[in-house]
Amino acid sequence: MIKASFHNIRVRLFAAFLSLVVLAAFFILMALWSQRSINDYQVFNDQLKAINSNIQSAKLEQAEFLAHGYQKDAFLTSGNSEEIVQFNALIEEVLDEISILKQSKLTKKERLVAELTELNQSVKSYRINFKEMTDAYLQRGFKDHGLEGEMREYVHALQLVDRASDQVFAFQMRRHEKDFVLRKDMAYVKTMNDRVDAFKSHINNSFELGEIDETYTNQVLTAIDNYHRQFNRLVNLEKTIGLSRSEGIQKRLNDSAQQTISLSSQVSKKLNQRFEEKQRQMNTLLIIASVFLILLGWVFAWVISKRISTPIKTLDAVAKSTSEGKRTAYHQLDGINRKDELGRLAENLKYMLATQEAQWIKINKANESLEQKAKEEELRKWYDQGVNKLADLLKNHYETEEHFGDGLLQFLVKYLGANQGAVYIPSEERTEIECRAAYAFERKKYIKKSFRAGEGLVGACWLEKELIYLTEIPDTYINIRSGLGDTPPRSIILIPCIAEGKIEGIIELASLKIFTKNEIKWLSDIAERIAFFLNSLRSKSQTTKLLAESKEMTEILTQQEEEMRQTLEEMQANQEEESRRSARFEEELNQLKIVAAANESVISKAYEGFLIFDESLHPAYISSEIREKWQIENNKYFTIERLHHTVDMLAIDPLFVASGMSERNHLKCHYEGKCFEVDAVLSKTTYQRENFLIVLIKKDKKEEKEALKRLIKAYF
């Protein structure tokens, strides 16, 4: 009877359906069990990713502290800063998360206790090394704090020397100190030691020669020793910190950070392998169950095809879309609103795929955050590199403003990726601004040479003293020409270079690209440095011009004196023409007096007066201004203290070697018991094969500025 019942279609369908239900329930239970295991792995993996993210964030805080944090007043005064607090908080959070993971059942199951313990020790070591680094930087200090702050006190004591040669040594020692602090190169330490020995030897030799007294000698030697001792303390601390990332505390800190990241990655990699294995098992189970159910479904498809085929097709489409990389394919499962096994299967699959999508979104956001920070760091490095290159450019020697303008434009155009540029500098009367340099224009002669205030873009920038930036340029304004044709620029920028409220120049740049905000900010920041350099270059040019005019007048006077001498000889040789030539001689003599007075007047506009000494350094001539002011009647009673020594020092004066004019010297002049202390500039000249020393007495700064204005107005 049972056999007969089994052959019954109804019984067979029931048995087949029952078998299908049992098999479906079995596969679903297996899937749920696998899903639960996968979820445990997923949670554990999320915690590991949080640990990795916190470690990376801590490393960024470390980098921020080493870049800027140690220079902040909050850290220098209290030993703590925002970066340190954030770093410690992140490390503490990492340690807590590691502690939680160590207590997880999955840790024991996958035998991760040893790896997590090693990771915990590595994180603690990383924190200890960071603490050593912050303590070292606190001891080092910055500007007025720590060893660097103490260094300034010794520098001030060393700079109290009053001899020009001693000041040169002091300046060189200070420069070597700054070179070491900036570049962390031990070669500068050796250079400093050699310079200290040379300075001491120089002081001792000067004392033995009687040029300085014992009090001054002891004072300077003590200042040198104190400064050198403090510098060695700073060097030793820098070596402890590490002159590079591969030395000292920096090396230990980087090694511990790298070890921590490596250990965390190893644990994460091991867990990911197990997680992927579980996922493969889950997917295999789902595929097998789906295929088996589909095969059985064909047996009674004519009965329940509409109840089973449609959900299975949907699940198959989602599986295919997911395998092709479409992370939002699980939304197709929203149409399956069933409470049977297929419905639960679809819901679990939807949950799994939704969880994966959420993790992908979280990872992408973290990557975007890291990329943004990397871009910001790259912009900061670009900014600092540009400032340093400009500083190197300004250290070069330039004879004229045009020479400097050409070098500046070459640097700016190449560094910013521009295509054309020009430099405009106000005329001496400041009635108009003139083009002194151009880069990559088709022909320099077609550039408008000068503008008045308010005339064109250059004149408007000069008048308003504000930056002008244009991205909509008329086709007729300017074209950038190449071998393929002419192209109008996409952007033009004019930057005013302002120093002490006055425009010293305007830089115009044209480019086929749009200037970024960072490039515009960088140009605005460096404009003031360029302005001060142009101001100093103009002052130097004016001084050189005055000296050249003075020398030219002296040569004219010498030539006319020779002509006068020849005239006198001819008058003596020819007594018959004496009366006739006497009138001519008196006329030429008057002209020479006028030229001499004009020469002396030109010098007096920039200086108080001047003195001329012969090769034996005896006074050969004293200008009328000095005679009247100091009431000098007889030159032979006039002397200058230590003049021989000052003349000998001209050989090592870089300004005298380069331009023939010395730096400002402080001199003590004596005449009949009276002493006059003045600042003067020294130069040398030759007349009738004899060498003469010229001492130009400097005016007060205020008087010198007014005299220079009057001189420019008189000659130009």
Side-chain angles (χ1 to χ4, degrees):
M1 186 175 180
I2 296 175
K3 185 176 181 180
S5 300
F6 182 79
H7 287 290
N8 189 285
I9 296 175
R10 213 173 194 184
V11 174
R12 288 181 179 181
L13 289 174
F14 179 78
F17 182 78
L18 183 60
S19 300
L20 182 63
V21 170
V22 171
L23 289 173
F26 174 77
F27 283 123
I28 290 173
L29 289 175
M30 290 291 293
L32 291 174
W33 179 83
S34 298
Q35 183 64 39
R36 182 179 178 183
S37 178
I38 289 174
N39 290 340
D40 292 338
Y41 279 95
Q42 184 66 43
V43 171
F44 197 97
N45 194 33
D46 291 344
Q47 291 175 324
L48 281 177
K49 290 179 179 179
I51 290 175
N52 288 333
S53 178
N54 288 336
I55 292 174
Q56 293 291 346
S57 299
K59 191 172 182 182
L60 290 176
E61 294 296 334
Q62 167 201 329
E64 182 65 19
F65 172 80
L66 295 178
H68 305 289
Y70 75 92
Q71 300 176 357
K72 296 180 179 178
D73 291 335
F75 170 73
L76 295 172
T77 54
S78 64
N80 204 355
S81 67
E82 182 180 351
E83 294 82 2
I84 296 176
V85 172
Q86 190 66 22
F87 177 89
N88 290 331
L90 290 169
I91 294 300
E92 194 64 33
E93 186 175 349
V94 169
L95 293 174
D96 292 340
E97 290 170 347
I98 293 174
S99 178
I100 293 172
L101 291 180
K102 289 174 67 176
Q103 298 174 3
S104 173
K105 294 180 180 180
L106 192 60
T107 301
K108 297 178 181 179
K109 180 180 177 181
E110 297 296 336
R111 299 177 181 178
L112 297 175
V113 176
E115 286 87 344
L116 291 176
T117 301
E118 186 178 1
L119 178 60
N120 187 70
Q121 294 297 328
S122 179
V123 172
K124 290 181 179 180
S125 176
Y126 183 33
R127 181 171 61 182
I128 292 172
N129 288 329
F130 182 77
K131 182 66 170 59
E132 292 180 2
M133 175 64 74
T134 57
D135 292 342
Y137 269 105
L138 181 62
Q139 181 182 357
R140 181 194 182 281
F142 183 71
K143 289 187 177 179
D144 297 329
H145 300 273
L147 289 179
E148 190 168 339
E150 296 173 5
M151 198 75 182
R152 293 193 173 190
E153 298 178 1
Y154 293 106
V155 169
H156 293 159
L158 186 63
Q159 290 178 343
L160 294 178
V161 295
D162 54 5
R163 296 196 310 164
S165 59
D166 298 343
Q167 291 175 355
V168 170
F169 277 104
F171 171 78
Q172 292 174 343
M173 290 172 63
R174 180 63 170 163
R175 186 187 66 188
H176 297 326
E177 174 209 333
K178 290 183 177 179
D179 289 340
F180 172 77
V181 172
L182 289 174
R183 297 174 175 84
K184 303 295 188 298
D185 190 350
M186 289 300 293
Y188 293 107
V189 177
K190 183 179 182 303
T191 305
M192 170 66 83
N193 294 334
D194 295 339
R195 184 56 55 191
V196 167
D197 294 337
F199 195 1
K200 286 183 177 181
S201 176
H202 174 69
I203 293 297
N204 290 326
N205 291 337
S206 299
F207 174 74
E208 292 175 359
L209 295 174
E211 296 177 354
I212 55 177
D213 55 21
E214 183 177 0
T215 302
Y216 178 84
T217 301
N218 294 333
Q219 179 183 355
V220 174
L221 291 176
T222 301
I224 295 172
D225 291 335
N226 292 337
Y227 177 84
H228 191 212
R229 189 182 306 109
Q230 189 70 9
F231 174 77
N232 287 332
R233 289 182 60 195
L234 182 61
V235 171
N236 292 333
L237 184 57
E238 290 287 2
K239 291 168 65 177
T240 302
I241 294 173
L243 300 178
S244 65
R245 293 185 178 181
S246 60
E247 298 177 4
I249 300 176
Q250 287 196 69
K251 181 179 185 303
R252 296 200 304 272
L253 182 62
N254 292 331
D255 290 346
S256 60
Q258 190 61 37
Q259 182 184 8
T260 302
I261 295 173
S262 177
L263 290 174
S264 177
S265 300
Q266 291 176 7
V267 176
S268 181
K269 182 178 180 180
K270 183 176 180 180
L271 192 66
N272 282 333
Q273 292 175 350
R274 293 291 298 153
F275 177 72
E276 292 173 358
E277 182 180 350
K278 289 290 183 181
Q279 281 188 322
R280 286 194 297 270
Q281 293 176 359
M282 177 64 179
N283 293 334
T284 302
L285 181 61
L286 289 175
I287 293 172
I288 293 174
S290 300
V291 171
F292 190 79
L293 290 174
I294 290 172
L295 291 175
L296 289 179
W298 279 105
V299 177
F300 51 95
W302 60 276
V303 178
I304 54 174
S305 60
K306 293 183 179 181
R307 296 284 299 167
I308 296 178
S309 62
T310 301
I312 290 178
K313 288 180 180 179
T314 303
L315 289 172
D316 183 66
V318 171
K320 289 182 179 179
S321 298
T322 303
S323 64
E324 292 172 357
K326 298 179 180 179
R327 296 196 297 272
T328 59
Y330 68 90
H331 291 296
Q332 301 177 25
L333 299 175
D334 294 338
I336 303 178
N337 297 320
R338 298 167 60 122
K339 296 183 180 180
D340 55 10
E341 291 79 5
L342 287 177
R344 288 194 295 272
L345 179 62
E347 185 176 345
N348 290 333
L349 182 60
K350 178 181 177 181
Y351 175 77
M352 181 186 70
L353 295 177
T355 302
Q356 289 181 346
E357 183 185 14
Q359 293 300 323
W360 273 106
I361 294 174
K362 185 176 180 181
I363 292 172
N364 288 337
K365 288 183 177 179
N367 290 336
E368 290 174 359
S369 177
L370 292 174
E371 289 175 359
Q372 181 63 27
K373 290 182 179 180
K375 289 180 180 179
E376 293 175 356
E377 179 65 15
E378 183 179 358
L379 288 175
R380 185 189 65 79
K381 290 182 178 179
W382 176 86
Y383 183 98
D384 294 342
Q385 184 181 11
V387 172
N388 294 333
K389 286 186 176 180
L390 177 64
D392 294 336
L393 180 69
L394 297 181
K395 291 179 182 178
N396 296 332
H397 177 71
Y398 299 98
E399 295 292 340
T400 62
E401 295 170 341
E402 289 80 4
H403 184 200
F404 169 69
D406 289 337
L408 177 63
L409 286 176
Q410 290 180 7
F411 164 68
L412 292 178
V413 168
K414 292 179 181 178
Y415 194 72
L416 297 175
N419 300 93
Q420 290 181 347
V423 173
Y424 300 89
I425 298 175
S427 62
E428 294 181 351
E429 299 81 6
R430 289 191 173 269
T431 58
E432 57 185 12
I433 190 165
E434 303 170 346
C435 179
R436 297 295 183 84
Y439 181 89
F441 279 87
E442 181 182 358
R443 293 183 181 176
K444 290 189 176 182
K445 68 179 182 179
Y446 291 141
I447 306 172
K448 185 170 175 58
K449 293 297 183 180
S450 62
F451 297 87
R452 294 189 176 273
E455 180 184 2
L457 291 179
V458 178
C461 182
W462 186 23
L463 180 63
E464 297 174 2
K465 297 182 179 180
E466 292 181 356
L467 182 145
I468 296 178
Y469 179 54
L470 300 176
T471 55
E472 297 180 2
I473 298 97
D475 294 337
T476 58
Y477 183 78
I478 190 176
N479 281 340
I480 296 175
R481 188 170 186 180
S482 67
L484 300 178
D486 294 342
T487 303
R490 294 185 62 192
S491 61
I492 291 177
I493 186 170
L494 290 93
I495 309 99
C497 301
I498 303 174
E500 298 179 351
K502 293 183 179 180
I503 286 188
E504 299 295 338
I506 294 176
I507 301 172
E508 181 183 16
L509 296 174
S511 177
L512 293 176
K513 67 180 184 66
I514 300 297
F515 290 102
T516 64
K517 292 182 179 179
N518 293 295
E519 290 173 342
I520 295 174
K521 181 180 182 300
W522 181 77
L523 284 170
S524 300
D525 292 344
I526 66 171
E528 185 177 4
R529 294 191 180 186
I530 296 173
F532 278 106
F533 186 84
L534 285 171
N535 181 277
S536 64
L537 190 62
R538 172 170 289 190
S539 299
K540 178 183 175 181
S541 176
Q542 290 174 348
T543 302
T544 304
K545 185 176 181 180
L546 287 174
L547 292 173
E549 291 177 354
S550 176
K551 185 175 181 180
E552 182 180 0
M553 290 184 179
T554 302
E555 292 175 354
I556 293 173
L557 180 61
T558 302
Q559 182 179 359
Q560 292 184 351
E561 286 179 350
E562 179 64 19
E563 292 175 359
M564 182 185 69
R565 185 184 62 80
Q566 293 177 0
T567 302
L568 289 174
E569 291 176 354
E570 290 175 1
M571 290 176 65
Q572 291 175 357
N574 192 358
Q575 294 294 330
E576 296 177 354
E577 296 179 0
E578 180 178 358
S579 59
R580 181 168 50 87
R581 296 180 180 178
S582 178
R584 185 188 304 171
F585 170 75
E586 290 179 356
E587 181 181 358
E588 291 178 350
L589 184 59
N590 290 332
Q591 291 178 354
L592 289 176
K593 291 181 179 180
I594 292 173
V595 172
N599 187 19
E600 189 168 350
S601 174
V602 169
I603 295 177
S604 66
K605 292 180 184 296
Y607 299 92
E608 185 72 24
F610 64 96
L611 306 94
I612 300 177
F613 294 81
D614 57 19
E615 291 182 341
S616 300
L617 297 184
H618 294 141
Y621 178 80
I622 300 177
S623 65
S624 58
E625 293 84 352
I626 300 301
R627 286 180 176 275
E628 293 176 1
K629 185 175 181 179
W630 294 348
Q631 298 179 356
I632 298 174
E633 296 179 358
N634 194 336
N635 293 356
K636 68 180 182 178
Y637 298 114
F638 180 86
T639 59
I640 296 180
E641 185 177 338
R642 297 172 57 81
L643 183 58
H644 287 85
H645 176 73
T646 303
V647 173
D648 294 338
M649 294 301 296
L650 292 177
I652 61 172
D653 188 339
L655 184 59
F656 179 83
V657 174
S659 64
M661 297 291 294
S662 74
E663 296 181 343
R664 185 187 294 260
N665 290 274
H666 188 73
L667 303 178
K668 293 183 179 180
C669 305
H670 300 276
Y671 177 74
E672 293 185 350
K674 294 181 290 185
C675 179
F676 310 96
E677 295 188 9
V678 294
D679 290 333
V681 176
L682 278 63
S683 181
K684 290 185 176 182
T685 187
T686 302
Y687 173 67
Q688 294 185 353
R689 299 182 181 179
E690 292 185 8
N691 296 324
F692 292 87
L693 174 69
I694 302 175
V695 180
L696 300 171
I697 307 300
K698 299 286 288 186
K699 290 185 176 181
D700 293 338
K701 291 184 178 178
K702 183 176 181 181
E703 294 179 359
E704 184 178 2
K705 189 174 182 181
E706 293 298 325
L708 184 58
K709 288 181 178 179
R710 293 195 300 269
L711 181 61
I712 293 172
K713 184 176 180 180
Y715 276 84
F716 300 96

